[in-house]
Amino acid sequence: MKIGVLGSGQLGQMMCLEAVPLGYSFYCLSPDANSPSEKVGAKATVSSYDSQSELENFLNQIDVLSFEFENIPKPTLDFLKNQKSVTVFPPPQALIIAQDRFLEKTHFRKLGFRTAEFFHLTMDTSKLDISIEFPWIIKTLRFGYDGKGQVKVKNKLEYEYFLTSGFQNEHSEYLIEEVIPFQKEISIILTRFQNGDIVCYGAVENEHKNHILDLSIFPARIPVGLNLEAIEMASKLAESFQYVGTLGVEFFIKDNQLYLNEFAPRPHNTGHFTQDCQSFSQFYLHVQAITGNTPPTDVRPKPTLMKNILGNSYTESLKLANELLKDDRYRLHLYAKEVAKPGRKMGHMNFKGTLEEVNPLFHEL
Ligand code: ATP
Ligand code: MG
């Protein structure tokens, strides 16, 4: 069977590394040459996501299409919804909802989930009164990642200042959100199979630095009841799309209550611990789900930590990582990106153990 993926970054790379040993051929399409996915053997088509002819050629080469990047242009997703030549997992509708923060939070509310209060801000709606209490976070409606395109607005004056510049650039739509003073951030990584079965290891706890994921701690140190509730919400979300594959769902915890923040219709950075949790990785499960296999039965993940390695002080981080590798509880996953830049995710390191057991140097990676 031939798997094709739109996008060619590290998520595609790690899917490819699971797919090939299972006997699948792996293809990727993206505008980038020498991509992380291509470097581990994915057969690459370099093309924009909206070239109809390149897309049709790509579909002719594969049996099943998936995604490792969620910001695929909507016309391409509409085309994929309507074509019959290739099965597409997850359903393009999940990406259409995930890439628009207003549609996404509206969908969450329809399912009965708690979210931050929100308001769809456009040139027109900016004339209306907004009943959300300050402080706010204003996020670009689309294309945000790692906290990019977000500003904190503390009062009316700052909001008025924001309005003077907010509609001059290409981002003419925003989502205003109430700031949730959360105690913890967690996520659920879940894989739904074609027969409707779900595999989920339970919540992972996440810490961000400068709005970028820094550390994930599995299992999350939260009450059992909250963990079960988060799994139930993520399952309900997956079912609402008839989702097939792996997805990541992000939550805030405030006063023992879950607030749904956002979801990613693909394997997720906070799920990288699964590669070394001594059970099945999120990428393996994704590949097995989209190719029509049934879930594994013996799923027993062990405590694991994941630390992101950014491009900021990459050489020093690599030195440290190599030191840590002398202990076989550490595993290094580098993405083979061409250039290291500040804030760019270059790789991650997993530790098979707990925060109490980890070498303090791990936190300096
Ligand atoms: P990523 O792609 O890294 O998940 P993103 O750019 O899509 O990020 P969010 O996940 O919505 O955006 O926000 C990034 C981080 O900013 C969150 O993990 C959280 O720490 C903080 N944040 C976002 N929204 C809120 C909110 N309403 N209240 C408090 N903190 C928030
Ligand atoms: Mg997020």
Side-chain angles (χ1 to χ4, degrees):
M1 198 186 245
K2 293 171 179 162
I3 300 172
V5 161
L6 296 187
S8 64
Q10 65 264 27
L11 301 177
Q13 177 184 75
M14 293 183 274
M15 278 182 207
C16 181
L17 290 170
E18 295 282 19
V20 172
L22 289 168
Y24 302 118
S25 309
F26 200 89
Y27 295 70
C28 63
L29 180 148
S30 86
D32 306 315
N34 300 320
S35 63
S37 303
E38 191 176 359
K39 288 204 175 133
V40 297
K43 297 175 187 64
T45 298
V46 178
S47 156
S48 69
Y49 294 117
D50 48 15
S51 159
Q52 178 92 11
S53 61
E54 291 285 2
L55 201 62
E56 279 171 4
N57 282 342
F58 188 67
L59 295 185
N60 282 335
Q61 297 175 50
I62 60 177
D63 302 305
V64 58
L65 181 76
S66 192
F67 308 93
E68 70 100 58
F69 173 68
E70 67 211 58
N71 288 319
I72 305 296
K74 175 140 186 310
T76 302
L77 293 172
D78 287 335
F79 164 76
L80 290 173
K81 266 208 263 187
N82 296 323
Q83 61 75 40
K84 296 269 175 294
S85 66
V86 165
T87 40
V88 183
F89 293 127
Q93 186 61 19
L95 282 84
I96 290 173
I97 300 290
Q99 61 183 220
D100 176 317
R101 294 187 194 275
F102 179 69
L103 294 182
E104 185 181 39
K105 285 223 159 54
T106 305
H107 187 77
F108 294 164
R109 288 282 178 101
K110 263 193 226 146
L111 293 173
F113 302 148
R114 190 182 296 106
T115 69
E117 293 295 325
F118 60 95
F119 180 87
H120 186 185
L121 180 68
T122 62
M123 189 84 102
D124 289 337
T125 65
S126 68
K127 296 174 184 87
L128 301 173
D129 273 341
I130 300 166
S131 59
I132 302 171
E133 266 184 49
F134 290 106
W136 300 343
I137 293 184
I138 304 185
K139 306 178 178 179
T140 52
L141 197 70
R142 300 165 183 279
F143 306 124
Y145 68 99
D146 292 343
K148 288 195 173 60
Q150 301 192 8
V151 283
K152 210 163 178 182
V153 166
K154 290 199 284 296
N155 51 45
K156 194 141 200 285
L157 200 67
E158 286 189 8
Y159 175 52
E160 275 161 13
Y161 179 73
F162 172 84
L163 289 180
T164 59
S165 57
F167 293 101
Q168 284 165 10
N169 58 29
E170 76 274 24
H171 297 299
S172 52
E173 290 184 83
Y174 299 91
L175 196 74
I176 297 180
E177 284 183 22
E178 136 195 51
V179 171
I180 306 290
F182 55 78
Q183 282 99 35
K184 251 190 217 303
E185 291 193 76
I186 61 159
S187 56
I188 293 288
I189 307 300
L190 166 160
T191 309
R192 189 168 180 273
F193 287 74
Q194 291 175 31
N195 65 3
D197 284 354
I198 283 175
V199 173
C200 177
Y201 297 160
V204 52
E205 188 175 328
N206 306 308
E207 291 178 7
H208 293 76
K209 254 189 206 161
N210 303 319
H211 305 282
I212 303 175
L213 178 69
D214 178 49
L215 179 71
S216 292
I217 303 160
F218 176 81
R221 298 160 299 174
I222 58 170
V224 179
L226 270 188
N227 205 332
L228 291 175
E229 200 186 325
I231 296 171
E232 213 170 282
M233 287 163 78
S235 304
K236 202 168 155 189
L237 178 66
E239 269 145 23
S240 75
F241 295 116
Q242 290 295 302
Y243 197 93
V244 172
T246 296
L247 92 171
V249 189
E250 301 175 11
F251 300 84
F252 305 136
I253 300 178
K254 191 190 108 196
D255 302 334
N256 241 12
Q257 290 189 315
L258 291 168
Y259 289 75
L260 199 42
N261 178 35
E262 61 170 2
F263 80 103
R266 52 170 171 74
H268 195 246
N269 194 171
T270 64
H272 291 355
F273 77 89
T274 58
Q275 292 173 308
D276 298 297
C277 72
Q278 299 169 68
S279 197
F280 301 92
S281 86
Q282 61 169 347
F283 304 101
Y284 177 89
L285 294 171
H286 183 76
V287 168
Q288 291 290 55
I290 65 171
T291 52
N293 290 289
T294 48
T297 47
D298 194 5
V299 173
R300 281 188 252 181
K302 303 253 170 56
T304 312
L305 306 179
M306 192 281 321
K307 172 89 177 164
N308 266 341
I309 298 175
L310 303 183
N312 304 46
S313 46
Y314 190 47
T315 321
E316 287 77 41
S317 295
L318 287 187
K319 263 192 221 146
L320 262 185
N322 281 308
E323 200 50 42
L324 291 169
L325 280 178
K326 291 176 185 160
D327 177 336
D328 61 12
R329 293 172 298 172
Y330 295 86
R331 286 282 186 280
L332 183 59
H333 300 265
L334 297 179
Y335 310 147
K337 291 191 179 172
E338 297 279 288
V339 194
K341 282 192 204 158
R344 177 175 281 177
K345 291 171 181 167
M346 302 302 292
H348 62 275
M349 191 164 220
N350 285 334
F351 171 66
K352 299 179 195 182
T354 64
L355 270 182
E356 290 70 35
E357 294 158 350
V358 76
N359 186 326
L361 288 179
F362 185 73
H363 296 291
E364 286 170 34
L365 281 170

